[in-house]
Amino acid sequence: SIIIYIQPLTGICALIIFYVSFKIINNSTSMKSKEYSSELSKLQISYNQTLLERMNIFRELILRDKVWSATSEIRAKRQISSVLRAQLILIPMVSKYLFEFVMISGSALVSFVQLMVSDALSAVSALVMFLASGSRVIPSLIRAQGSILSMRQSEGAARICVEQLNELEKELISLDKNELLCIDESFE
């Protein structure tokens, strides 16, 4: 905020650059993070179900010589899961490098604008002010971005869990109604 008092044009440019870059980076990475997290949750549930099914029928798989096909299906799901986990780990690093790119391109933009408006000395001082403010703001933006990404990843996994709980509740309600019908019929 002090930069706005010292050099208003540089301060306003810095504010706009940091705000717009944060919104753009946040929107793109948050959606991808939520999407990957949802896919990973669905895949983990499917993997666990498949693994339990294969363990329950393991003897039949050995007798029918189908162990290889069962393990290849499980291996394929684990490979996809590994790729999704890697992408979830990569997203915060990509946003960090994008913020660093914003810092470099923003300093060039601020210097250019100041050079057009005033002299070279003013452009150099604007560059120094922008870099100083950016070196303080960018780490905070990266931490905020990391927190938001963590929430989005949790949101994707939680949504899948809530959907399954709702489906289970519907199944239990329909089972309870069927049991009540059977009990009513037995009393008549």
Side-chain angles (χ1 to χ4, degrees):
S1 66
I2 293 176
I3 193 171
I4 292 176
Y5 294 118
I6 296 172
Q7 287 191 342
L9 183 60
T10 303
I12 291 170
C13 285
L15 184 68
I16 291 170
I17 288 170
F18 292 139
Y19 178 76
V20 169
S21 65
F22 181 77
K23 290 301 271 184
I24 291 171
I25 292 170
N26 183 42
N27 287 341
S28 62
T29 57
S30 290
M31 288 301 148
K32 282 292 184 190
S33 182
K34 184 178 172 183
E35 176 184 323
Y36 292 153
S37 177
S38 294
E39 287 179 33
L40 182 62
S41 295
K42 288 177 186 176
L43 188 63
Q44 285 176 335
I45 291 168
S46 172
Y47 167 76
N48 289 337
Q49 288 175 343
T50 303
L51 190 61
L52 285 173
E53 289 171 1
R54 298 307 185 259
M55 287 174 62
N56 288 335
I57 60 169
F58 187 70
R59 188 181 335 174
E60 291 178 29
L61 291 173
I62 289 176
L63 292 174
R64 294 183 184 182
D65 199 25
K66 298 283 185 180
V67 175
W68 178 252
S69 65
T71 57
S72 65
E73 180 183 353
I74 291 171
R75 183 181 302 122
K77 289 182 180 183
R78 292 302 294 167
Q79 286 175 342
I80 295 169
S81 174
S82 297
V83 169
L84 288 172
R85 286 177 201 265
Q87 289 173 337
L88 284 172
I89 292 171
L90 185 67
I91 287 174
M93 287 188 262
V94 168
S95 64
K96 175 185 169 189
Y97 292 122
L98 286 174
F99 280 122
E100 289 178 5
F101 175 75
V102 165
M103 182 78 165
I104 293 168
S105 60
S107 62
L109 179 67
V110 166
S111 297
F112 178 74
V113 168
Q114 276 291 3
L115 192 60
M116 291 309 211
V117 173
S118 61
D119 59 348
L121 183 61
S122 178
V124 170
S125 65
L127 174 64
V128 169
M129 294 296 286
F130 181 81
L131 289 174
S133 66
S135 67
R136 299 290 295 157
V137 170
I138 293 292
S140 299
L141 291 177
I142 291 172
R143 282 192 299 275
Q145 176 69 24
S147 298
I148 291 171
L149 285 176
S150 177
M151 288 188 294
R152 293 293 185 199
Q153 288 175 0
S154 299
E155 180 185 358
R159 185 172 43 87
I160 300 301
C161 183
V162 168
E163 286 174 2
Q164 286 198 334
L165 286 173
N166 289 337
E167 289 176 13
L168 181 63
E169 184 179 12
K170 289 177 186 175
E171 288 178 15
L172 289 175
I173 290 172
S174 67
L175 286 175
D176 289 342
K177 287 180 182 178
N178 288 339
E179 286 178 7
L180 289 175
L181 288 175
C182 290
I183 293 171
D184 285 344
E185 290 174 2
S186 66
F187 282 122
E188 291 176 2

